[in-house]
Amino acid sequence: MGKDIELVVYGAEVLCPSCVNLPSSKEQYEWLQAAIGRKFGEDVVTYKYIDIFNPPEDDQHKKFAERVVEEDMFYPVVLIDEEIVGEGNPKLKTVYKALQERGLEPQL
């Protein structure tokens, strides 16, 4: 398959006000990478982390980062191929399901 699937995590260094007891967005991003790598293998997903308060200049990521802030979404917000699959405290089961719907198979 090889890197056709993109997982983007929108988050911030400061914790979401409603997510005080959860790991930071960056920690959850790294945790998702490790968990997905163990289940599906390395190099099958492309990962990006976007700081919602300092997004890159490209329109797509900048607009969604603004949306996260304006709509007071719980972050991190996890997208797979532009579909929101997790918000605040992403669930691995939901992320895995979205990846399998896109053709990834768990490794044995």
Side-chain angles (χ1 to χ4, degrees), residues 40-80:
F40 297 99
E42 301 294 322
D43 298 326
V44 295
V45 175
T46 302
Y47 301 93
K48 281 188 185 163
Y49 178 82
I50 306 293
D51 186 319
I52 59 174
F53 298 114
N54 189 21
E57 287 301 314
D58 77 83
D59 246 12
Q60 174 190 0
H61 295 303
K62 190 172 186 173
K63 284 181 181 176
F64 194 83
E66 290 169 358
R67 178 179 164 202
V68 171
V69 174
E70 289 170 6
E71 295 181 13
D72 290 325
M73 297 172 89
F74 297 122
Y75 48 87
V77 179
V78 179
L79 279 74
I80 295 178

Side-chain angles (χ1 to χ4, degrees), residues 4-95:
D4 292 329
I5 298 172
E6 181 179 62
L7 183 140
V8 182
V9 174
Y10 290 85
E13 286 187 35
V14 293
L15 291 178
C16 162
S18 299
C19 307
V20 174
N21 294 321
L22 297 175
S24 72
S25 297
K26 195 73 158 179
E27 290 169 328
Q28 290 191 51
Y29 168 72
E30 292 166 354
W31 169 73
L32 282 168
Q33 280 184 295
I36 291 166
R38 280 191 304 274
K39 182 151 181 107
F40 297 99
E42 301 294 322
D43 298 326
V44 295
V45 175
T46 302
Y47 301 93
K48 281 188 185 163
Y49 178 82
I50 306 293
D51 186 319
I52 59 174
F53 298 114
N54 189 21
E57 287 301 314
D58 77 83
D59 246 12
Q60 174 190 0
H61 295 303
K62 190 172 186 173
K63 284 181 181 176
F64 194 83
E66 290 169 358
R67 178 179 164 202
V68 171
V69 174
E70 289 170 6
E71 295 181 13
D72 290 325
M73 297 172 89
F74 297 122
Y75 48 87
V77 179
V78 179
L79 279 74
I80 295 178
D81 294 339
E82 300 181 24
E83 174 191 350
I84 297 173
V85 296
E87 187 179 338
N89 185 16
K91 305 287 184 240
L92 270 181
K93 188 174 183 176
T94 305
V95 173

